[in-house]
């Protein structure tokens, strides 16, 4: 297809020019049905460093699985390239409690992370105020989720250090 050929061409031009410090993020919108055959748009593992998925929590009933699950599953059928939620937010209709679900989903699916869409839009459910700073509850939930993630990282590093620490029986004495 034209899109795949154009993508590969641009990547090849950069590589031939010696621009090897570029990361290629191939981004798709989340789908809630398998009607969108994503593989036909895939440039290939050698042309993409990160898969991005854009998706939003519009409604109260939205979950990580309902917003991103189908798309992640479909992408995993044709590549093991790392995935980043490249554009996301929870709107006021979905509520700030969905932020914890978003972070938990990123962790559960072993994704690289997420990028928050911090803009305001109007005129309907698909155009809400996505900004954190306009909602003390959303900002608090976001901070709490980030703090919890940081605590897990610190505990994980401490645990790894503890497993490397020699016990009394394992100590070697330098000559």
């Amino acid at each position: 297809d034209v899109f795949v050929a154009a993508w590969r061409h641009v990547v090849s031009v950069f590589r031939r020019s010696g621009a090897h410090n570029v990361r290629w993020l191939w981004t798709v919108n989340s789908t809630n049905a398998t009607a969108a055959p994503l593989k036909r748009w895939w440039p290939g593992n050698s042309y993409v460093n990160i898969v991005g998925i854009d998706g939003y929590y519009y409604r109260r009933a939205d979950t990580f699985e309902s917003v991103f699950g189908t798309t992640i599953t479909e992408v995993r059928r044709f590549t093991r390239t790392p995935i980043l939620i490249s554009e996301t937010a929870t709107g006021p209709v979905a509520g700030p409690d969905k932020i914890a679900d978003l972070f938990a989903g990123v962790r559960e699916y072993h994704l690289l992370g997420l990028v928050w869409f911090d803009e305001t839009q109007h005129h309907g459910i698909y155009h809400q105020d996505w900004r954190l700073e306009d909602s003390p509850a959303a900002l608090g939930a976001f901070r709490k989720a980030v703090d919890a993630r940081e605590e897990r990282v610190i505990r994980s590093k401490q645990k790894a250090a503890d497993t490397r620490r020699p016990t009394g029986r394992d100590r070697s004495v330098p000559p």
Side-chain angles (χ1 to χ4, degrees):
D1 279 273
V2 174
F3 173 82
V4 171
W7 181 285
R8 289 177 177 176
H9 172 73
V10 170
V11 171
S12 297
V13 167
F14 272 70
R15 288 177 178 163
R16 282 194 306 270
S17 298
H20 298 289
N21 61 342
V22 178
R23 295 282 174 237
W24 299 98
L25 174 68
W26 179 78
T27 302
V28 297
N29 286 321
S30 65
T31 59
N32 57 10
T34 55
L38 297 177
K39 187 173 181 181
R40 69 180 281 216
W41 303 100
W42 177 242
N45 289 328
S46 60
Y47 293 92
V48 175
N49 301 106
I50 301 169
V51 172
I53 301 175
D54 295 353
Y56 293 85
Y57 286 69
Y58 297 106
R59 297 174 185 82
R60 197 100 187 104
D62 287 341
T63 64
F64 190 88
E65 181 64 31
S66 70
V67 175
F68 298 105
T70 301
T71 308
I72 292 170
T73 299
E74 185 175 354
V75 166
R76 285 291 170 244
R77 287 187 184 123
F78 57 85
T79 185
R80 287 285 168 218
T81 300
I83 296 175
L84 170 74
I85 302 300
S86 52
E87 188 176 297
T88 192
T90 62
V93 174
D97 57 315
K98 297 297 180 174
I99 293 172
D101 180 66
L102 177 59
F103 276 79
V106 167
R107 189 173 54 254
E108 180 183 333
Y109 280 87
H110 307 285
L111 307 184
L112 292 175
L114 62 90
V115 177
W116 192 269
F117 182 75
D118 198 46
E119 294 289 330
T120 185
Q121 299 174 319
H122 303 288
H123 311 299
I125 195 159
Y126 298 111
H127 297 94
Q128 300 179 36
D129 187 348
W130 306 103
R131 297 175 297 178
L132 292 168
E133 63 270 16
D134 281 0
S135 168
L139 185 56
F142 190 89
R143 285 181 173 152
K144 185 176 179 181
V146 169
D147 289 346
R149 184 201 171 282
E150 288 176 0
E151 285 179 30
R152 277 190 301 282
V153 168
I154 290 167
R155 280 195 311 270
S156 175
K157 287 181 180 179
Q158 288 171 340
K159 186 177 180 180
D162 289 346
T163 60
R164 289 191 302 266
R165 215 173 270 141
T167 64
R169 295 185 313 251
D170 300 338
R171 291 193 186 138
S172 60
V173 178

